[in-house]
Amino acid sequence: MTDTTYDVIVVGARCAGSPLAMLLARRGYRTLLVDRATFPSDTVSTHVIHPPGAAALQRWGLLDQVAATGCPPVGRYSFDFGPLTLAGAPGSAESPYAYAPRRTLLDKILIDAAAGAGAEVRQDFTVDEVLVTDGRVTGIRGRSASGAPVTERARVVVGADGRNSVVAKTVGAAEYEQRPPLTVGYYSYWSNLPTDTFEAYSRPGRGWAVCPTNDGLTLVIGGWPHAEMAQHRDDVEGTLMETFALSPSFAERIRDAKREERISGMAVPNYFRTPSGPGWALVGDAGYNRDFITAQGITDAFLDAENLAGALDTALNGTKPYDEAMSGYQSQRDARAMPVYQMTLGIASLQPPDEQTVQLMSALAGSQEGQDAFARLNAGTTSPVEFFAPENVGRLLSLS
């Protein structure tokens, strides 16, 4: 295509789109980044960045900016199952900490980094149509902040616009490994609930998590099966408090705390989508989505953006044919994300662990090395493929 203004148009400027635009612009590609929102602005999110996501921020030179917001580093994860608790270090020597910055702060850092890298950024921009010519996506048609009609063309249009992606809908991106929503979660922010740990609590049919965030506040999210959503819709706060009472010690802590903001809720479908085709690609939640219970969304978006940026680079510079580069992108994405996706589906069932899992967790509780390994699994630092390999399970069982 020789009549294009841009190499790449990225639709959606949050945790997948802004990093992708930044990485492409740093490579010298003419990149347009558009979003219907203006920044800073909030969005429904657990907003935990696990250590692999923090490592990506470090590689991009942005971690110091996130830390400078006052968001505390988290170097310890705990998992309270009732009969036992496992607590360990979730990161690596190179990236030991998780962070949970408010999205008003994080997303502004990311979009500013894209602009600073040379991407053209248009906020308050509505995409009305993804343009397709002879079966190939060629651009977008939309409206600027002033309401003026705008048409832009590019060699590739990327949907980074979430679960309801206009790009994915236009091209009819096929879904696979899809599952309906499994849980419904509600969250808010409490003061006077100090913690320096990412705390997860699991009880039959219930789960909740706690993590420190900006301004001395603590994020608390609790959930139950999606099938119970209508049953508890009229008294979410009461059901949350009943859930917290399943841990008397935590219930006592939160009784002394104060909720500072309204309660927000979410329930999301689970799917993978074919992430590319002629002139288009998908990244972040537009390409695949998993239940929020493992809080992998932001970390996944960061790693997916890096993967796609590398693939697009090889396609746009002619190193590989486009189809080959995008096939590699999908293969690499699925190889990394699918094991965590399947593990997330299992956790989101909110069912008691089976006997084999109880045996393994009991063994892990007997050593700090084992508890650290469990924390790294849940942080995404260690792949489930590696963790559950028979030789590794055997080694972990021998630690107690």
Side-chain angles (χ1 to χ4, degrees):
M1 297 176 65
T2 58
D3 60 342
T4 57
T5 304
Y6 300 98
D7 294 308
V8 181
I9 296 173
V10 182
V11 180
R14 292 197 184 268
C15 288
S18 284
L20 175 64
M22 174 193 70
L23 294 169
L24 290 171
R26 286 180 178 179
R27 287 172 163 89
Y29 293 107
R30 300 163 299 166
T31 305
L32 171 63
L33 176 64
V34 302
D35 200 293
R36 63 185 179 184
T38 58
F39 296 84
S41 58
D42 207 356
T43 187
V44 175
S45 171
T46 57
H47 61 78
V48 174
I49 306 173
H50 293 295
L57 289 171
Q58 182 69 53
R59 289 191 294 273
W60 305 337
L62 302 179
L63 184 59
D64 287 347
Q65 292 185 49
V66 172
T69 67
C71 181
V74 177
R76 178 181 170 86
Y77 285 17
S78 72
F79 304 88
D80 182 328
F81 296 97
L84 62 82
T85 298
L86 304 177
S92 62
E94 296 77 20
S95 183
Y97 300 115
Y99 295 83
R102 296 295 295 265
R103 292 295 297 270
T104 50
L105 301 169
L106 174 65
D107 293 3
K108 185 67 164 62
I109 289 170
L110 296 175
I111 198 171
D112 286 352
E120 182 179 341
V121 176
R122 300 184 195 174
Q123 302 179 46
D124 195 13
F125 186 98
T126 302
V127 176
D128 294 318
E129 183 182 1
V130 176
L131 303 177
V132 181
T133 305
D134 296 328
R136 180 183 183 87
V137 171
T138 56
I140 60 173
R141 180 175 293 119
R143 287 165 285 136
S144 68
S146 67
V150 177
T151 298
E152 299 291 3
R153 299 189 180 272
R155 297 166 68 185
V156 181
V157 175
V158 177
D161 45 346
R163 298 185 300 276
N164 298 312
S165 168
V166 64
V167 178
K169 288 180 179 178
T170 298
V171 301
E175 293 191 357
Y176 55 99
E177 294 292 335
Q178 62 266 46
R179 300 290 188 278
L182 297 175
T183 64
V184 57
Y186 297 91
Y187 70 93
S188 190
Y189 304 90
W190 273 259
S191 60
N192 195 34
L193 188 65
T195 184
D196 60 0
T197 300
F198 174 82
E199 307 172 26
Y201 297 81
S202 179
R203 300 292 188 271
R206 295 292 184 269
W208 69 99
V210 181
C211 196
T213 185
N214 298 92
D215 304 319
L217 298 178
T218 297
L219 165 69
V220 182
I221 179 168
W224 38 86
H226 185 263
E228 298 182 21
M229 183 172 68
Q231 178 182 345
H232 301 295
R233 181 181 288 138
D234 293 336
D235 189 15
V236 168
E237 187 163 23
T239 307
L240 282 173
M241 292 306 167
E242 290 174 1
T243 297
F244 301 152
L246 296 172
S247 169
S249 60
F250 181 76
E252 183 177 351
R253 287 169 59 196
I254 203 164
R255 274 197 300 269
D256 293 334
K258 179 185 178 184
R259 180 166 62 84
E260 298 289 351
E261 299 186 21
R262 67 181 181 88
I263 296 173
S264 299
M266 68 180 86
V268 300
N270 305 276
Y271 58 79
F272 279 74
R273 287 177 180 146
T274 301
S276 67
W280 63 271
L282 303 175
V283 69
D285 288 353
Y288 72 101
N289 195 52
R290 85 307 299 143
D291 193 280
F292 60 86
I293 199 164
T294 49
Q296 291 289 339
I298 295 176
T299 299
D300 274 347
F302 287 175
L303 300 181
D304 206 25
E306 280 193 324
N307 182 12
L308 181 55
L312 284 173
D313 185 26
T314 62
L316 294 170
N317 69 21
T319 302
K320 291 182 180 179
Y322 181 81
D323 289 349
E324 180 183 342
M326 292 298 101
S327 177
Y329 163 58
Q330 181 174 2
S331 296
Q332 184 175 337
R333 180 196 73 170
D334 288 9
R336 181 191 64 80
M338 189 65 74
V340 179
Y341 178 83
Q342 298 294 349
M343 184 179 77
T344 298
L345 296 182
I347 295 171
S349 71
L350 296 176
Q351 295 298 308
D354 58 31
E355 184 176 345
Q356 186 176 14
T357 302
V358 170
Q359 180 184 2
L360 176 58
M361 291 193 298
S362 297
L364 296 177
S367 78
Q368 190 56 57
E369 181 182 348
Q371 294 183 71
D372 289 345
F374 189 76
R376 290 195 297 272
L377 167 69
N378 284 274
T381 305
T382 299
S383 168
V385 175
E386 178 184 346
F387 182 87
F388 289 109
E391 61 273 18
N392 190 57
V393 171
R395 184 184 67 81
L396 293 173
L397 288 171
S398 71
L399 294 174
S400 58

